[in-house]
């Protein structure tokens, strides 16, 4: 058995935790006779102050007047959107600044001989953590997970104070909305002196067939005592039905103050393989025993699957070629800002799945653990990305300031934390690196790739490369350092590149939404092109105005050319800020999937003589609407996307036209129809027989408010969420797509309104409040539980409309399962 050495051991020694399984609920209190509860959620009962008070680091500082809150928390989303804010268009014109968090907690006296650490999943940014006035260190990168050893500074049997200073005042430091604060979970970790090390479990499946699989478990065990210790390391594998799938145990001698890596290979018969269609998960329970007593007990979620990348067969999952239909996604959760609530992250993955995506690129930083847990559970392939820049920056205060000192720790943090997620199939080391055409970039890329390979050699390394006025072939040396070449907006060059470099595997890491068919065809026709990631899957805050359309007379240009306030977000996503799938989403999904065969929408008529203008990342504003007052008699363009060979269009039961919708027509038909109110119906035609249909109906005046909750029950854990969609209808219940009513929200019961939104990224009303306008007939309210049970009622009213209510029940937590890593 070999010891962990070199950069991997150094990286592992920097951190304290391993990756978490999907259910992220604090464990119940430990049985006093059993092992310690090693992981405890530390999100509750913090104090917060927006501003800089250096004395707040001191234990005896008086914080009675500070705000009480529970994590995760993003203070930027709570502020007003203003062109005066220093984050500018890139950051969505939100406030930033400096904030302080403090928490007082008791440490039991019996923990005196334990190893105690605090683990932050993410703090944006430049956080400095203090324990009882003692600084534990500064961590610059806002997307990395990190931990500190508290044991030497704790006062056992007494109150202790954690204080965290968060400095997001140096602007601009991002090209998109970052949020500010402790926006991901915080955990307390308590172990005995002999324990599984920080992020010390690595699970791989080197040999997989449908009949059996070899599961390799490498466990780093630490002995933090001054004497040698004899232990037994016991590993048990559990399948999704909580049945034992395999086990192994080994005796190990640990010298004083040492670490040792133990490798165990366990054969699993008839494995349940992980894939997007069947995301089967296992748990590895790893126990450290001394004198037959369990002194440490951890759980790690993993999946059994094989991945392979070749130019001949592309990307293969479990032996079958899979074409990637991917979308890029930033980390914010719309009206919740950067706050990484587990339910918000899960819902995001649900939206991606519903939109037909099978993969996501975490542009341009490591995501939350909850997001990856949801990808594992729901079946979403992941390109896990580290950085937006290396040594040369894109904004004044971005990661280039920290790269040389911090890249190893930050890259190591990502790979060590995320390596057990079966959803992760690729590592990305960068995005559109400014120095990409310089020889030094090749050396840097090689350095980063080698760092990853020392920790995990089972996945390919890529990065996103974009043309910058140089000869595209000049990037060949840089691409050669990668296992898969990432092309931003350059997939058209793939066939000629393949002639020049036949061994190259290509993935388009970003593409324009309007090029969906062209890119799909290139992916389908070329084995060495493994897929495409559109920019973007979901609308996001910041990078203000990308994807916008505009009208003649407006200021022209792309989002980087002018200040387009009040645009404060991106509109290039397939899914908007309230979760509505835009027409482009249905079209893209239809290209890659067979579960949707017909869809209809209407191109917004330009208000003549004014014209509608598009930008690079936009598509024409198109809506599920046959309600166009003022357009009577004018020709309106109706788009029908179809997997049927032909479609027919009817208006008020009268046949308008019939068109082909085969691959030659790009599965699309456009009908020019003189607008007349009524019922518009598209019908698929197969073998000259009418099949599926899609209908749009003209709506009358706004008359009612319809509320739809994504769930009727919520966990009373202080962090669970319910998303309530608000739709305005006419008196007959027909959706009114032009409604812009002012809505007022009121909640009763054990919950709060965490955020409100519409999809209009020019609406600067606050995302935290109790009033919002509908936009194109829709709005969204997000309800957050407290720690009390009971009935919750949300009431939504609007002048001239009857009030509408919806009830939700807050229940006690019924699932106490949690990962310990």
């Amino acid at each position: 058995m070999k010891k962990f050495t070199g950069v991997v051991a150094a990286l592992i020694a920097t951190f304290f935790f391993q990756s978490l399984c999907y259910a992220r609920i604090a464990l119940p209190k430990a049985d006093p006779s059993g092992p310690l509860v090693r992981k405890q959620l530390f999100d509750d009962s913090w104090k917060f102050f927006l501003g800089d008070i250096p004395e707040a680091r001191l234990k005896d500082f008086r914080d009675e007047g500070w705000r009480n809150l529970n994590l995760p928390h993003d203070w930027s989303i709570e502020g007003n959107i203003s062109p005066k804010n220093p984050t500018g268009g890139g950051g969505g014109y939100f406030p930033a600044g400096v904030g302080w968090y403090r928490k007082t907690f008791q440490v039991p006296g019996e923990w005196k001989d334990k190893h105690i650490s605090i683990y932050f999943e993410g703090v944006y940014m430049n956080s400095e953590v203090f324990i009882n006035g003692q600084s534990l260190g500064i961590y610059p990168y806002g997307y990395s997970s990190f931990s500190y050893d508290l044991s030497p500074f704790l006062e056992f049997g007494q109150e202790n104070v954690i204080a965290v200073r968060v400095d997001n005042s140096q602007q601009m430091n991002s090209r998109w909305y970052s949020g500010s604060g402790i926006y991901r979970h915080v955990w307390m970790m308590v172990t005995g002196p002999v324990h599984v090390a920080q992020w010390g479990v690595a699970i791989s499946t080197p040999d997989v067939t449908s009949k059996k699989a070899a599961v390799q478990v490498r466990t780093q065990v630490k002995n933090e005592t001054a004497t040698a210790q004899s232990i037994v390391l016991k590993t048990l594998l559990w399948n999704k039905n909580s049945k034992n799938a395999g086990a192994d145990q080994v005796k190990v001698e640990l010298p004083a103050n040492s670490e040792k890596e133990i490798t165990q290979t366990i054969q699993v018969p008839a494995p349940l393989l992980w894939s997007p269609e069947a995301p089967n998960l296992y748990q590895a329970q790893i126990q450290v025993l001394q004198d037959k007593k369990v002194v440490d007990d951890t759980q790690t979620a993993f999946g059994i699957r094989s991945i392979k990348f070749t130019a001949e067969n592309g990307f293969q999952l479990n032996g079958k070629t899979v074409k990637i239909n991917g979308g890029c996604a930033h980390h914010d959760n719309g009206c919740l800002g950067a706050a990484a609530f587990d339910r918000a992250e899960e819902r995001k993955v649900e939206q991606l799945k519903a939109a037909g995506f099978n993969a996501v690129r975490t542009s341009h930083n490591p995501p939350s653990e909850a997001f990856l847990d949801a990808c594992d559970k729901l079946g979403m392939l992941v390109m896990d990305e580290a950085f937006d820049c290396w040594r040369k920056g894109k904004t004044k205060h971005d990661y280039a300031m920290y790269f040389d000192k911090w890249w190893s720790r930050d890259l190591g943090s990502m790979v060590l934390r995320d390596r057990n997620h079966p959803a992760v199939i690729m590592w990305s080391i960068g995005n559109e690196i400014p120095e990409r055409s310089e020889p030094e970039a090749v050396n840097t890329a090689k350095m980063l790739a080698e760092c990853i390979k020392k920790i995990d050699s089972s996945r390919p390394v890529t990065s996103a490369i974009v043309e910058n006025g140089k000869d595209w072939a000049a990037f060949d040396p840089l691409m050669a350092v990668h296992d898969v070449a990432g092309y931003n907006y350059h997939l058209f060059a793939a066939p000629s590149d393949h002639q020049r470099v036949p061994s190259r595997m290509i993935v388009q890491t970003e593409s324009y939404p309007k090029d969906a068919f062209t890119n799909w065809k290139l992916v389908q026709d070329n084995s060495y092109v493994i897929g495409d990631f559109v920019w973007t899957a979901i609308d996001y805050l910041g990078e203000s105005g990308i994807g916008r359309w505009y009208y003649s007379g407006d200021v022209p240009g792309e989002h980087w050319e002018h200040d387009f306030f009040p645009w404060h977000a991106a509109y290039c996503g397939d899914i908007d800020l309230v979760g509505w799938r835009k027409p482009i989403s249905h079209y893209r999904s239809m290209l890659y999937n067979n579960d949707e065969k017909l869809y209809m929408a209407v191109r917004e008529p330009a208000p003549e003589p004014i014209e509608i203008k598009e930008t690079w990342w936009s598509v024409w504003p198109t809506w599920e609407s046959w309600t166009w007052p003022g357009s009577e008699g004018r020709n309106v363009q109706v788009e029908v996307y179809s997997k049927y060979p032909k479609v027919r269009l009817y208006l008020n039961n009268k046949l308008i036209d019939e068109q082909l919708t085969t691959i030659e027509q790009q599965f699309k038909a456009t009908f020019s129809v003189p607008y007349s109110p009524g019922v518009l119906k598209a019908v698929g035609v197969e073998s000259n027989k009418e099949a599926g249909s899609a209908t749009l109906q003209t709506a009358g005046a706004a008359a009612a408010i319809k509320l739809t909750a994504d769930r009727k029950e919520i966990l009373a854990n202080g962090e669970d969420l319910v998303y309530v969609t608000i739709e305005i209808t006419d008196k007959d219940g027909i959706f009114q797509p032009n409604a812009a009513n002012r809505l007022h929200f009121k909640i009763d019961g054990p919950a709060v309104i965490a955020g409100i939104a519409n999809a209009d990224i020019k609406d600067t009303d606050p995302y935290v409040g109790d009033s919002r306008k509908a936009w194109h007939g829709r709005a969204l309210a997000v309800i957050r539980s407290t720690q009390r049970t009971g009935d919750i009622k949300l009431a939504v009213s609007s002048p001239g409309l009857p009030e509408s209510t919806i009830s939700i029940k807050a229940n006690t937590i019924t699932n106490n399962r949690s990962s310990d890593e």
Side-chain angles (χ1 to χ4, degrees):
M1 296 180 188
K2 61 183 181 180
K3 290 187 177 182
F4 240 45
T5 57
V7 67
V8 180
L11 287 165
I12 285 184
T14 309
F15 306 100
F16 196 80
F17 290 87
Q18 298 153 291
S19 56
L20 308 173
C21 75
Y22 178 71
R24 305 164 60 78
I25 301 166
L27 285 172
K29 292 183 179 179
D31 179 348
S33 63
L36 284 169
V37 178
R38 63 177 359 239
K39 188 183 186 92
Q40 301 173 28
L41 194 60
F42 208 57
D43 284 352
D44 294 347
S45 304
W46 287 77
K47 297 270 194 175
F48 173 70
F49 178 82
L50 182 56
D52 196 6
I53 305 178
E55 295 79 14
R57 72 188 187 279
L58 302 174
K59 180 182 178 182
D60 58 359
F61 177 80
R62 304 291 296 270
D63 57 16
E64 291 90 346
W66 286 22
R67 174 181 168 192
N68 297 307
L69 56 76
N70 297 333
L71 305 176
H73 175 241
D74 170 13
W75 80 68
S76 287
I77 198 65
E78 300 171 345
N80 292 323
I81 301 166
S82 169
K84 296 179 181 179
N85 286 324
T87 56
Y93 304 100
F94 285 86
V98 176
W100 279 86
Y101 297 83
R102 286 170 55 89
K103 177 167 177 167
T104 300
F105 63 103
Q106 291 262 355
V107 182
E110 55 267 29
W111 284 9
K112 198 165 187 178
D113 62 342
K114 309 303 180 186
H115 187 280
I116 304 166
S117 288
I118 188 168
Y119 171 58
F120 294 87
E121 289 191 17
V123 184
Y124 203 91
M125 60 177 293
N126 284 313
S127 64
E128 183 169 11
V129 180
F130 302 85
I131 177 69
N132 297 328
Q134 173 68 43
S135 176
L136 298 173
I138 296 174
Y139 209 105
Y141 198 33
Y143 300 109
S144 283
S145 301
F146 59 94
S147 65
Y148 294 112
D149 183 6
L150 301 180
S151 302
F153 312 105
L154 293 174
E155 297 176 6
F156 295 91
Q158 301 180 43
E159 287 191 339
N160 294 261
V161 176
I162 286 277
V164 183
R165 182 181 185 269
V166 184
D167 185 354
N168 194 22
S169 62
Q170 293 181 309
Q171 293 295 329
M172 294 170 57
N173 57 52
S174 177
R175 297 186 302 115
W176 57 91
Y177 177 85
S178 66
S180 302
I182 309 178
Y183 69 105
R184 294 178 181 169
H185 291 302
V186 180
W187 301 84
M188 184 70 73
M189 183 75 169
V190 185
T191 70
V194 180
H195 59 91
V196 175
Q198 47 207 358
W199 283 326
V201 175
I203 302 174
S204 59
T205 52
D207 297 304
V208 177
T209 69
S210 60
K211 295 182 178 180
K212 66 177 181 178
V215 177
Q216 185 184 85
V217 183
R218 291 182 293 125
T219 306
Q220 192 81 4
V221 182
K222 296 188 72 171
N223 173 19
E224 296 185 305
T225 73
T227 59
Q229 302 290 328
S230 297
I231 67 163
V232 171
L233 187 73
K234 184 177 182 180
T235 298
L236 303 110
L237 306 183
W238 304 95
N239 66 20
K240 65 178 183 179
N241 301 313
S242 298
K243 292 183 178 179
N244 187 267
D248 184 71
Q249 65 180 46
V250 60
K251 293 182 179 179
V252 180
E253 299 295 324
L254 296 173
N257 297 309
S258 69
E259 296 184 42
K260 184 174 287 188
E261 183 191 69
I262 298 97
T263 300
Q264 297 167 288
T265 301
I266 302 171
Q267 299 295 326
V268 176
L272 301 171
L273 301 186
W274 186 95
S275 69
E277 298 75 27
N280 297 301
L281 291 175
Y282 286 77
Q283 290 281 337
Q285 183 178 15
I286 300 171
Q287 297 178 324
V288 178
L289 292 86
Q290 286 187 292
D291 299 324
K292 299 183 179 180
K293 180 182 178 182
V294 178
V295 297
D296 197 14
D297 192 341
T298 75
Q299 296 180 34
T300 301
F302 71 98
I304 296 176
R305 54 101 174 109
S306 68
I307 58 173
K308 187 177 181 180
F309 294 78
T310 63
E312 293 74 24
N313 296 307
F315 164 56
Q316 292 179 296
L317 177 66
N318 301 326
K320 297 179 180 179
T321 296
V322 174
K323 292 295 188 177
I324 289 175
N325 174 29
C328 301
H330 278 311
H331 72 295
D332 75 84
N333 284 306
C335 64
L336 302 176
F341 295 97
D342 289 3
R343 174 58 194 153
E345 302 291 68
E346 179 186 52
R347 178 178 180 263
K348 186 185 293 183
V349 180
E350 289 175 351
Q351 290 177 315
L352 294 170
K353 291 282 288 189
F357 291 110
N358 65 4
V360 60
R361 173 184 175 219
T362 68
S363 48
H364 302 292
N365 48 263
S368 73
E369 296 182 33
F371 183 79
L372 291 181
D373 291 338
C375 290
D376 287 345
K377 178 191 175 187
L378 299 174
M380 179 63 59
L381 304 170
V382 178
M383 177 190 290
D384 205 347
E385 190 156 87
F387 310 120
D388 188 40
C389 63
W390 298 341
R391 292 186 175 91
K392 287 190 176 181
K394 300 176 181 179
T395 64
K396 185 176 181 180
H397 300 287
D398 64 14
Y399 191 73
M401 296 175 61
Y402 312 106
F403 181 83
D404 280 327
K405 182 177 179 181
W406 286 92
W407 72 265
S408 178
R409 272 178 285 190
D410 288 323
L411 191 61
S413 168
M414 180 182 80
V415 179
L416 287 167
R417 190 196 71 172
D418 299 346
R419 59 185 170 176
N420 294 321
H421 288 280
V424 176
I425 59 166
M426 280 187 279
W427 306 113
S428 172
I429 55 176
N431 172 66
E432 299 183 353
I433 301 304
E435 63 266 39
R436 58 191 174 275
S437 59
E438 300 173 10
E440 181 59 29
V442 177
N443 295 329
T444 303
K446 188 179 300 183
M447 175 182 74
L448 298 176
E450 288 174 353
C451 174
I452 289 176
K453 297 294 186 180
K454 287 177 182 177
I455 304 172
D456 174 47
S457 59
S458 69
R459 297 173 176 90
V461 172
T462 187
S463 75
I465 300 171
V466 70
E467 192 271 333
N468 62 350
K470 302 280 185 178
D471 174 20
W472 181 250
F475 295 117
D476 284 354
L478 179 59
M479 290 182 181
V481 178
H482 300 77
D483 302 303
V484 177
Y487 284 31
N488 274 12
Y489 312 102
H490 217 83
L491 196 59
F492 62 85
S496 59
D497 285 1
H498 180 65
Q499 295 295 317
R500 187 175 72 254
V501 190
S503 62
R504 179 180 297 171
M505 290 173 285
I506 298 169
V507 61
Q508 185 157 238
T509 32
E510 289 181 26
S511 65
Y512 298 114
K514 59 183 139 190
D515 291 340
F517 180 84
T518 301
N519 290 320
W520 170 80
K521 194 76 167 52
L522 284 164
V523 170
Q524 301 307 310
D525 291 349
N526 300 288
S527 63
Y528 50 88
V529 178
I530 66 174
D532 172 48
F533 289 85
V534 67
W535 191 270
T536 57
I538 302 176
D539 284 351
Y540 56 94
L541 301 175
E543 201 162 8
S544 302
I546 186 174
R548 79 183 184 110
W549 72 93
Y550 62 97
Y551 302 93
S552 49
D554 292 345
V555 177
E558 299 297 328
H559 60 282
W560 69 83
E561 294 180 309
H562 301 285
D563 187 329
F564 290 112
F565 185 86
W567 293 79
H568 62 275
Y571 199 74
C572 50
D574 277 22
I575 304 164
D576 70 19
L577 285 180
V578 301
W580 178 69
R581 290 178 62 192
K582 302 175 190 175
I584 185 63
S585 169
H586 295 271
Y587 181 61
R588 188 186 321 283
S589 180
M590 209 175 288
L591 291 172
Y592 284 90
N593 303 291
N594 294 314
D595 54 355
E596 187 174 9
K597 296 192 70 174
L598 191 72
Y599 177 83
M600 176 172 58
V602 178
R603 289 164 64 96
E604 180 180 316
E608 295 179 351
I610 294 173
E611 297 178 344
I612 293 177
K613 308 284 188 178
E614 290 190 63
T615 54
W616 289 2
W617 282 267
S618 74
V619 294
W620 191 280
T622 308
W623 312 96
E624 292 176 19
S625 172
W626 193 240
T627 305
W628 301 100
S631 294
E632 287 80 4
R634 287 183 54 200
N635 282 343
V636 175
Q637 305 304 306
V638 178
E639 290 190 350
V640 180
Y641 315 141
S642 169
K643 278 296 186 74
Y644 296 102
K646 290 191 290 188
V647 293
R648 293 172 184 158
L649 187 70
Y650 295 88
L651 176 58
N652 296 326
N653 295 318
K654 180 182 178 181
L655 179 64
I656 299 296
D657 196 6
E658 178 181 283
Q659 292 190 32
L660 295 174
T661 50
T662 68
I663 191 171
E664 284 75 20
Q665 291 79 37
Q666 302 185 7
F667 308 111
K668 184 186 296 187
T670 302
F671 299 86
S672 184
V673 183
Y675 175 68
S676 177
V679 178
L680 190 70
K681 185 178 181 180
V683 180
V685 180
E686 200 161 32
S687 301
N688 290 320
K689 292 183 179 180
E690 294 191 348
S693 64
T695 301
L696 296 173
Q697 186 170 352
T698 304
I705 301 171
K706 179 184 176 183
L707 305 182
T708 307
D710 66 338
R711 295 184 297 161
K712 290 298 180 72
E713 294 186 356
I714 191 170
L715 293 177
N717 61 1
E719 296 189 2
D720 204 5
L721 305 174
V722 170
Y723 286 77
V724 180
T725 299
I726 300 96
E727 294 180 310
I728 307 299
T729 72
D730 68 8
K731 62 182 178 57
D732 297 318
I734 299 170
F735 175 65
Q736 172 44 270
N738 300 327
N741 300 61
R742 169 65 63 178
L743 304 169
H744 300 281
F745 302 87
K746 181 182 178 183
I747 195 161
D748 291 315
V752 297
I753 298 174
I756 52 175
N758 59 37
D760 182 6
I761 57 177
K762 301 182 294 297
D763 184 346
T764 57
D765 278 359
Y767 286 98
V768 177
D770 59 8
S771 178
R772 192 88 190 190
K773 280 186 176 181
W775 188 66
H776 283 281
R778 288 188 181 86
L780 179 74
V782 184
I783 296 172
R784 179 181 181 179
S785 68
T786 66
Q787 294 175 326
R788 294 183 293 113
T789 61
D791 294 326
I792 302 164
K793 185 176 81 171
L794 176 69
V796 182
S797 61
S798 181
L801 300 182
E803 181 180 87
S804 183
T805 63
I806 193 167
S807 296
I808 298 149
K809 187 174 287 292
N811 294 324
T812 55
I813 297 173
T814 57
N815 180 3
N816 284 323
R817 183 172 61 89
S818 175
S819 170
D820 300 318
E821 301 183 82

